Amino acid sequence: MSADRQHLHLVPNRFTVGHLPHATFPEDDEWIALVRAPEGLTVVREASPYGDAQRWVGFYGDPGDGLDVPGVLAAITGPLAGAGVPVFVASTYHADLVLVPEHSQKSAADALRAAGHRVDDA
């Protein structure tokens, strides 16, 4: 895999990112990703179609060489930052789930394509 030209898929689900300031683990098991930090717990969940929370869409790369390829995340977040698109990242061993606000989906996909990445819609 080349860091500068990746194949990204738009995940069909929508997500929410929440913060539980005094929790060490969520009370349910309906989460996608958890990050525990001194200031509390960050929880990524599938979004409800009826909720009022900010919804995020996810771009996910083809599983490649895991942790052995430098610059993979930077090659994605750099063009998004240049386009003014905020991100939240949940990393796995094989690839990164790069979340962007749902209203920024088109500008994010356009920025990634302009940077040379292949982006498949859901």
Side-chain angles (χ1 to χ4, degrees):
M1 167 182 23
S2 168
D4 58 342
R5 297 201 188 276
Q6 297 176 48
H7 182 196
L8 302 168
H9 306 275
L10 187 63
V11 179
N13 307 45
R14 298 299 183 256
F15 304 93
T16 62
V17 178
H19 179 242
L20 304 174
H22 303 291
T24 57
F25 205 77
E27 294 180 8
D28 60 39
D29 61 356
E30 297 182 13
W31 47 270
I32 303 296
L34 300 174
V35 178
R36 189 178 314 160
E39 64 276 3
L41 189 66
T42 300
V43 182
V44 178
R45 302 174 188 273
E46 282 192 40
S48 163
Y50 310 107
D52 291 334
Q54 180 179 15
R55 292 163 51 101
W56 298 72
V57 296
F59 294 92
Y60 192 73
D62 280 342
D65 296 323
L67 305 174
D68 297 334
V69 179
V72 171
L73 186 55
I76 296 170
T77 58
L80 295 175
V85 176
V87 302
F88 183 89
V89 178
S91 296
T92 72
Y93 183 85
H94 297 286
D96 300 298
L97 175 63
V98 178
L99 301 176
V100 303
E102 186 174 41
H103 64 83
S104 299
Q105 176 180 334
K106 183 180 179 335
S107 56
D110 290 346
L112 291 167
R113 287 182 181 116
H117 300 292
R118 191 168 114 209
V119 178
D120 293 342
D121 295 327

